[in-house]
Amino acid sequence: MHQLIERRAFLRAGALGAAGLGAAGLFPAWAQNGTPGLVPDMETLSGADIRLRVGHDMFSVGGRKGHAVTLNGVLPAPLIRLKEGQNVRIHVENALDEDTSIHWHGLLLPFQMDGVPGVSFPGIKPRSTFTYEFPIRQSGTYWYHSHSGHQEQQGHYGPLIIEPAAADPVAYHREHVIVLSDWSFLHPHQLITRLKQEGGYFNRQKQTLLGQLSGASEDRMSAKDRRMWGKMRMDPTDIADVTAATYTYLINGHGPHENWTGLFRPGERVRLRIVNAAAMTIFNVRIPGLRMTVVSADGQNVRPVTVDEFQIGNAETYDVIVQPTEDRAFTFVAESIDRSGMGRATLTPRLGMRAPVPPLRDRPVLTMKDMGMGGMNHGAMDMRGMNMRDKSSVPPNVKVGVGVDAIAMAPVDRTGEPGIGLENVGHKVLTYRDLVSLAPNPDARPPARTVEVHLTGNMERFMWSFDGKKFSEGAEPIRFELNERTRVVLINDSMMTHPIHLHGHFFEVVNGHIGNHPVKHTVMVLPGGKVAFDLTADAPGDWAFHCHLLLHMHAGMFRVVTVRPLPGEAA
């Protein structure tokens, strides 16, 4: 096994109180190869006072080393384990030469503690310490990460688990944390530069004439359809901006060849707490030979639903129960949405056992539905003269300029679909409509108004925005009155899946289960589709609202959500 963090970093982290480091390796104990899981005597960061140090280290994977931003000298960061009902103070020392921050993803807290520089606090200056202090009001699986620059892409992320104050409704014998991420030896600025210089720069799976002549299944597009896509200057294989051309997909910090391994005993109910901490990668997760029962989404309990596979967007979390009964190993597969690569790990009764690793499946290809034409009769359509940027299809507040290369003409609710490329895989794949909140939704009021937000972009120029306006262009905040009940409708005018995250709140995804809509903090909006969620704006303050594809957020797909009045202010 490769050593992923240099020994000096490990020793320094220990001196700083990085209790999560195990004695046997250079990872946090929870992420070590061969771990039995989160056993009671495992050291984690917990209690009322926690200390984290953000610094530079070298990270190694696949035999290469690169610069990383780490917490307490490890990548991924230490596991923080808290208890619902406690108070916590987290002291964050910045040892970098640039500002940093930590956002507690999915946590309900005062907005001044949310950790978004320029929105909720000034950030943490170099060689200084900031103390976050807040009560713990919830339980479940969450994570934390930088909201400064591109530090998240460089390793600044870690898991956070909160134990419930009451009995846990989920029964299990063993638990593992599984953090998915993506790593590139290119600096994030280089990633952006190349995406700006050439649309689809990292897409090595474009359709070719040779592919069509060879009859490859993913190239079986009619000549008419090819002409149509070409006329619209769209690429049906443009599914992920950054791919395995530069990314190594990590599971708990381990590359595919390093094969992170977690142990179990046959017959046990094993809880897998799965976090997608990747900067730019949506994953398809499956364990061939082992079904998964989803019991929690974004930290909130749901009625158990058993599936063979699910797609997990950036910043989403899912808890699943698996119960392997055989004395054999299983491969955990995290395939990138464009199927250019995968993360791979093993669940096994004993070290040394391995299971076959399935090959990458055929790449997916976008369809007319992904263009926003899901509500149209394609057979009767005449593509001649079709205007892909018809301003009459969007409200006047949407700016249809150079930053918008398409408008969805007939977007449809796609919450009943499994995600791009998973429609015909031959087994059960989770959809949002399968999710039913275990507890009744707390606010039964109907929404008093509807807010519509368009997810817009120019894919060739790598320009991203809400309603056609980049955040840097002085976009106005989205305003809510305190405790207002609102339906927010997200319409994806682009041909990429966007995971949209609202800070400081949970919302209820409208999926037909009235009264028990699933409660989430992040929701994926499929290309050319739309998603509605009901929001009770019960947290006063200024909150970030953005696409959780890191480079989309930095390109401009970001807004401030303002909830007023603040405590002590007049209504």
Side-chain angles (χ1 to χ4, degrees):
M1 184 182 74
H2 295 281
Q3 294 184 340
L4 301 193
I5 299 293
E6 291 183 340
R7 181 170 176 75
R8 61 178 175 78
F10 171 67
L11 295 174
R12 184 171 68 243
L16 289 167
L21 290 176
L26 303 173
F27 300 92
W30 65 270
Q32 290 192 9
N33 198 16
T35 174
L38 305 184
V39 294
D41 60 349
M42 177 180 287
E43 293 183 341
T44 58
L45 296 182
S46 60
D49 276 284
I50 290 172
R51 294 188 180 278
L52 291 169
R53 182 176 189 268
V54 185
H56 296 287
D57 281 287
M58 296 302 291
F59 174 75
S60 298
V61 65
R64 296 178 63 191
K65 286 187 177 182
H67 165 252
V69 176
T70 61
L71 289 104
N72 291 7
V74 292
L75 190 167
L79 168 65
I80 296 177
R81 190 144 200 169
L82 304 171
K83 179 87 171 180
E84 182 181 9
Q86 75 163 93
N87 293 316
V88 67
R89 287 182 297 276
I90 305 178
H91 312 278
V92 180
E93 176 192 353
N94 182 6
L96 302 175
D97 298 322
E98 62 187 64
D99 287 11
T100 191
S101 58
I102 293 183
H103 165 56
W104 314 100
H105 191 104
L107 266 59
L108 304 175
L109 36 61
F111 80 95
Q112 300 92 337
M113 298 290 113
D114 191 49
V116 181
V119 177
S120 53
F121 85 138
I124 308 172
K125 299 297 179 187
R127 315 299 170 188
S128 69
T129 297
F130 181 83
T131 298
Y132 296 84
E133 184 170 6
F134 49 89
I136 302 300
R137 301 167 48 197
Q138 62 204 92
S139 63
T141 301
Y142 303 94
W143 64 298
Y144 60 101
H145 61 86
S146 173
H147 231 289
S148 298
H150 303 103
Q151 294 166 4
E152 182 188 333
Q153 173 71 90
Q154 297 173 291
H156 187 322
Y157 53 81
L160 192 160
I161 295 173
I162 304 174
E163 299 173 9
D168 194 330
V170 180
Y172 56 93
H173 301 102
R174 185 189 299 262
E175 59 182 328
H176 286 287
V177 174
I178 295 181
V179 173
L180 312 176
S181 61
D182 44 26
W183 172 265
S184 173
F185 288 97
L186 290 177
H187 189 280
H189 290 159
Q190 293 175 291
L191 296 178
I192 294 173
T193 298
R194 295 182 184 185
L195 289 168
K196 285 280 190 183
Q197 288 174 337
E198 179 183 340
Y201 179 88
F202 295 103
N203 183 4
R204 305 291 190 267
Q205 301 189 104
K206 294 182 179 180
Q207 290 182 317
T208 63
L209 178 60
L210 182 62
Q212 185 180 24
L213 295 175
S214 70
S217 58
E218 65 270 34
D219 276 323
R220 291 174 190 159
M221 180 178 285
S222 69
K224 177 184 174 185
D225 285 349
R226 283 176 180 264
R227 285 196 298 273
M228 182 187 67
W229 281 87
K231 185 177 179 181
M232 291 185 290
R233 301 175 67 184
M234 298 289 183
D235 181 355
T237 68
D238 196 358
I239 292 169
D241 290 316
V242 190
T243 71
T246 184
Y247 273 154
T248 299
Y249 300 111
L250 307 180
I251 296 181
N252 292 346
H254 302 250
H257 297 294
E258 292 141 4
N259 186 26
W260 176 85
T261 299
L263 301 178
F264 68 86
R265 288 196 182 98
E268 287 182 329
R269 285 172 58 87
V270 182
R271 184 174 191 162
L272 304 178
R273 299 179 181 268
I274 302 167
V275 178
N276 185 356
M280 289 295 288
T281 306
I282 295 168
F283 289 101
N284 300 326
V285 172
R286 69 188 196 277
I287 308 174
L290 204 54
R291 304 202 79 192
M292 301 176 286
T293 299
V294 178
V295 295
S296 175
D298 288 1
Q300 301 300 295
N301 294 319
V302 297
R303 294 178 189 170
V305 54
T306 300
V307 301
D308 298 290
E309 186 168 7
F310 62 87
Q311 190 168 88
I312 182 169
N314 309 66
E316 289 187 306
T317 73
Y318 283 108
D319 287 21
V320 305
I321 297 291
V322 296
Q323 192 163 14
T325 57
E326 303 170 78
D327 186 35
R328 51 163 285 203
F330 297 87
T331 295
F332 182 99
V333 177
E335 186 180 61
S336 64
I337 186 174
D338 68 322
R339 295 179 183 158
S340 62
M342 71 166 68
R344 166 261 185 140
T346 297
L347 298 174
T348 179
R350 293 180 298 282
L351 281 176
M353 299 177 72
R354 296 188 177 190
V357 179
L360 289 167
R361 297 175 291 191
D362 290 344
R363 69 172 178 203
V365 177
L366 298 173
T367 67
M368 301 298 288
K369 197 173 193 179
D370 304 310
M371 276 191 187
M373 302 178 189
M376 301 170 75
N377 181 355
H378 299 169
M381 288 167 56
D382 181 0
M383 302 301 294
R384 292 173 298 181
M386 183 169 286
N387 182 3
M388 291 294 294
R389 299 171 69 242
D390 182 3
K391 296 181 181 179
S392 66
S393 298
V394 294
N397 65 302
V398 178
K399 177 184 174 185
V400 184
V402 67
V404 178
D405 64 3
I407 293 172
M409 287 178 275
V412 294
D413 182 340
R414 303 186 69 179
T415 54
E417 300 181 31
I420 296 298
L422 296 176
E423 300 86 353
N424 300 299
V425 290
H427 55 223
K428 172 61 182 173
V429 185
L430 183 74
T431 74
Y432 281 151
R433 286 189 197 165
D434 294 323
L435 297 175
V436 183
S437 174
L438 192 62
N441 298 142
D443 192 344
R445 294 177 297 163
R449 67 175 175 126
T450 297
V451 172
E452 187 174 294
V453 179
H454 284 254
L455 319 183
T456 45
N458 183 321
M459 296 172 70
E460 283 295 311
R461 297 191 179 193
F462 202 71
M463 299 171 72
W464 298 102
S465 57
F466 285 139
D467 292 338
K469 304 182 192 74
K470 296 190 296 184
F471 182 65
S472 60
E473 294 174 336
E476 283 292 311
I478 302 172
R479 303 178 191 281
F480 295 97
E481 186 178 345
L482 183 62
N483 292 321
E484 176 185 358
R485 183 77 167 158
T486 307
R487 175 157 296 179
V488 178
V489 180
L490 304 174
I491 298 175
N492 189 350
D493 289 309
S494 80
M495 292 174 54
M496 281 198 166
T497 302
H498 297 282
I500 303 299
H501 172 46
L502 173 61
H503 288 221
H505 294 78
F506 283 105
F507 50 74
E508 300 136 28
V509 178
V510 178
N511 68 347
H513 300 290
I514 298 172
N516 289 86
H517 287 140
V519 178
K520 293 177 77 9
H521 50 59
T522 304
V523 65
M524 284 195 295
V525 190
L526 298 188
K530 59 182 179 182
V531 170
F533 64 76
D534 289 344
L535 171 71
T536 299
D538 56 2
D542 295 326
W543 304 98
F545 175 64
H546 60 90
C547 178
H548 223 285
L549 293 167
L550 180 67
L551 303 186
H552 286 193
M553 179 183 74
H554 280 272
M557 196 175 261
F558 184 100
R559 277 287 193 284
V560 173
V561 161
T562 296
V563 181
R564 292 291 188 274
L566 297 174
E569 287 185 345

